[in-house]
Amino acid sequence: MGCSNDARAELAWPCDLYAQAERVVNQLLATHTTVSTAESCTAGLVTSALTEISGSSAAVCGGCASYTPQVKHAILGVSQSILDDPALGPVSSFCALQMARGAQSLFGSTYSVSVTGIAGPTGALPHRPIGTVWFCIMGTRGFSCICKHFEGNRNAVRTQAVSYALLLIEHAIQSAL
């Protein structure tokens, strides 16, 4: 596996994330399927983890680091009314769904995963504390949006979000979502 060689020591990814990304890429390759990402609080880290794996170019179509509401709207097609609604906003299931749909359409992938949340240390709202992250996994047969609450500092929240996004892709492949 990738963690035992000398080149792995130079990478920024923990061995467990590297192994998880390697599993996902191998499953994508084995099923002749592809994935794309739409990331906000992880700012491209899911795509980066996947593309650390040799051969991933045959399975990873691309990703959009949509860190601002303007990019979510202009590139991924997230409705401005969702972004402007204080009850919804960029950290919501509605935004995550439209981000995933936008990535799948933009990149033409079999699967897409979106990640949008509050990594901290600022940005918390009374109903959305730091560590709140919405995900959407989309396949050809449907989608699922999930909210998770992660603990820890900014890097811990982002690392946990990357791991969860990889898990969602893996489950989608296994269930042929």
Side-chain angles (χ1 to χ4, degrees), residues 15 41 75 99 110 130 132 139 143 171:
C15 284
C41 65
I75 305 298
M99 287 171 64
T110 311
I130 290 170
T132 302
F143 68 90
H171 285 170

Side-chain angles (χ1 to χ4, degrees), residues 75-87:
I75 305 298
L76 296 172
V78 176
S79 166
Q80 193 64 51
S81 62
I82 287 173
L83 295 168
D84 292 342
D85 187 333

Side-chain angles (χ1 to χ4, degrees), residues 23-35 59 111 169 173:
R23 263 194 328 274
V24 170
V25 169
N26 287 338
Q27 289 176 356
L28 288 163
L29 293 171
T31 56
H32 305 287
T33 56
T34 57
V35 69
Y111 302 102
I169 299 166
I173 297 164

Side-chain angles (χ1 to χ4, degrees), residues 8 23 25 60 62 74 112-113 119 127 137-138 154 159 172 174:
R8 175 61 191 110
R23 263 194 328 274
V25 169
V60 180
S112 64
V113 65
H127 59 288
I137 183 72
M138 182 165 286
R154 180 178 183 78
T159 300
Q174 292 169 355

Side-chain angles (χ1 to χ4, degrees), residues 34-37 59 61-62 103-112 138-140:
T34 57
V35 69
S36 62
T37 67
C61 293
Q104 193 175 37
S105 175
L106 184 65
F107 294 106
S109 59
T110 311
Y111 302 102
S112 64
M138 182 165 286
T140 57

Side-chain angles (χ1 to χ4, degrees), residues 85-151:
D85 187 333
L88 300 175
V91 182
S92 68
S93 62
F94 295 92
C95 183
L97 171 60
Q98 290 190 356
M99 287 171 64
R101 186 174 288 142
Q104 193 175 37
S105 175
L106 184 65
F107 294 106
S109 59
T110 311
Y111 302 102
S112 64
V113 65
S114 64
V115 185
T116 185
I118 305 167
T122 61
L125 300 170
H127 59 288
R128 288 188 195 103
I130 290 170
T132 302
V133 182
W134 273 99
F135 300 85
C136 185
I137 183 72
M138 182 165 286
T140 57
R141 296 185 356 199
F143 68 90
S144 180
C145 294
I146 300 110
C147 183
K148 298 297 279 183
H149 297 278
F150 299 118
E151 298 292 325

Side-chain angles (χ1 to χ4, degrees), residues 10-11 18 20 40 114 120-121 130 147 163:
E10 297 175 19
L11 301 176
Y18 185 89
Q20 192 179 11
S40 187
S114 64
I130 290 170
C147 183
S163 180

